[in-house]
């Protein structure tokens, strides 16, 4: 591609249209019920799987379509924009791009065993990195994988605790980051971390849901691991190189989260505009009042601007170019713009925005999450300050 081109290809436009049509089958009532019942959206997940969308970025030889992060973010945005928000997006997020460490670094046997099942929707996988005592400092995780024998070929025995693990209740396998060398014995703090894709043996893994303010159709969990035996064949790549493997997927994850935040902001703005046109107070639609109209117009501008940096980031990634700056900016700007749009949508609805009737409160709760997860806005600014501006590292 030469020069600037902001137009989606015909295939990308078809993806947007097809996903929007499929997602429209699941209305606000469906998502409200799932959220309030804390019930996984199985019907939605199965419909997305049946449409072949889960295999979008999985290589064709493993049953996928081999497409890029641009197409994946289009899907994620449309799923969130349908009204499903983060409940819809989180139900498929891990399947869409979360298996990238396996695609790139997994053994042929591991890929053949798992990727076709991801593509057809048969296999749920969760991602186990975060720990209560480590937070965003992944180098300080303490979940430890110890060899069961005296040589380097035996199984591992794992003990530890993970937190904020989405979909752990529904998952058969976990992409699990552990320590295999104590932090104080490693050459640098991020060395000595090893990544596995292994089975969740419920006899050795205790999963406890976390009560949350929102996105309750997809659980977040504490995971307690007690003497879990992991075969050496379940290790991804080399022992001690796990941190570098998960880094490979961080920029795409930023972009997917950005797209989901963008989608929530878009649907919240759409609902606010409709309400502002329909709601009549003092013999005039409230959207005629600049106090209502200007914040919504401002949100439109902010969402459109955030989308541009997201599109630049995905184009760079898909063309093999450096994209850390743009991926982090996209997450930062889309999360802010999405939440602002949801907040203004709630304000536009007044008291009814605070009720559950119009679903705006659900968009508000879910969009607020995007400013925290999977990395906070402050950590994005840390990255940009130190790595882009060249300022001293602050942590």
């Amino acid at each position: 591609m030469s020069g600037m081109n902001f137009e989606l290809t015909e295939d990308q436009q078809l993806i947007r249209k097809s996903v929007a049509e499929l997602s429209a089958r699941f209305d606000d009532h469906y998502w409200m019920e799932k959220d309030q019942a804390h019930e996984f959206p199985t019907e939605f997940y199965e419909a997305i799987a049946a449409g072949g969308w889960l295999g979008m970025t999985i290589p064709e030889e493993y049953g996928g379509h081999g497409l890029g992060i641009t197409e994946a973010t289009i899907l994620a945005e449309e799923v969130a924009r349908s009204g499903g928000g983060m409940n819809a997006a989180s139900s498929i997020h891990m399947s869409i791009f979360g298996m990238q460490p396996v695609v790139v670094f997994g053994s042929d046997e591991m890929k053949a065993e798992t990727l076709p099942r991801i593509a057809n929707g048969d296999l749920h996988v969760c991602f186990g990195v975060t720990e209560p005592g480590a937070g965003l400092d992944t180098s300080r995780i303490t979940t430890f994988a110890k060899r069961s024998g005296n040589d380097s070929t035996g199984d591992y025995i794992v003990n530890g605790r993970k937190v904020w693990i989405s979909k752990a209740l529904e998952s058969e396998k976990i992409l699990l980051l552990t320590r295999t060398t104590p932090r104080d014995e490693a050459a640098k703090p991020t060395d000595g971390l090893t990544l596995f894709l292994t089975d969740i043996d419920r006899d050795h893994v205790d999963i406890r849901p976390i009560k949350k303010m929102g996105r309750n159709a997809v659980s977040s969990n504490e995971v307690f691991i007690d003497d879990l035996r992991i075969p050496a064949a379940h290790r991804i790549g080399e022992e001690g190189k796990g941190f570098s493997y998960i880094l490979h997927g961080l920029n795409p994850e930023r972009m997917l989260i950005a797209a989901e935040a963008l989608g929530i902001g878009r649907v919240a703005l759409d609902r606010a505009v409709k309400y502002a046109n329909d709601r009549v107070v003092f013999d005039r639609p409230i959207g005629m009042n600049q106090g209502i109209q200007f914040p919504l117009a401002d949100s439109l501008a902010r969402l459109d601007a955030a989308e541009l940096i997201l599109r630049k980031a995905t184009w760079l990634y898909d063309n093999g170019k450096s994209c850390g700056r743009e991926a982090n900016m996209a997450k930062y700007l889309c999360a802010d713009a999405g939440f602002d749009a949801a907040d203004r949508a709630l304000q536009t609805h007044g008291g009814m925005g605070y009720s559950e009737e119009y679903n705006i409160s659900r968009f508000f709760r879910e969009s607020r999450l995007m400013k925290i997860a999977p990395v906070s806005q402050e950590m994005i600014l840390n990255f940009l300050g130190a790595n882009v501006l060249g300022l001293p590292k602050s942590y």
Side-chain angles (χ1 to χ4, degrees), residues 66-84:
L67 299 175
I69 192 64
T70 298
E71 289 79 13
T73 55
I74 291 169
L75 181 150
E77 180 190 345
E78 286 305 315
V79 161
R81 187 173 183 168
S82 72

Side-chain angles (χ1 to χ4, degrees), residues 6-25:
F6 298 101
E7 186 176 9
L8 297 179
T9 66
E10 287 187 12
D11 285 346
Q12 290 167 347
Q13 292 176 41
L14 180 60
I15 290 169
R16 185 183 291 282
K17 180 175 181 292
S18 300
V19 172
E21 289 175 352
L22 187 156
S23 299
R25 290 159 43 189

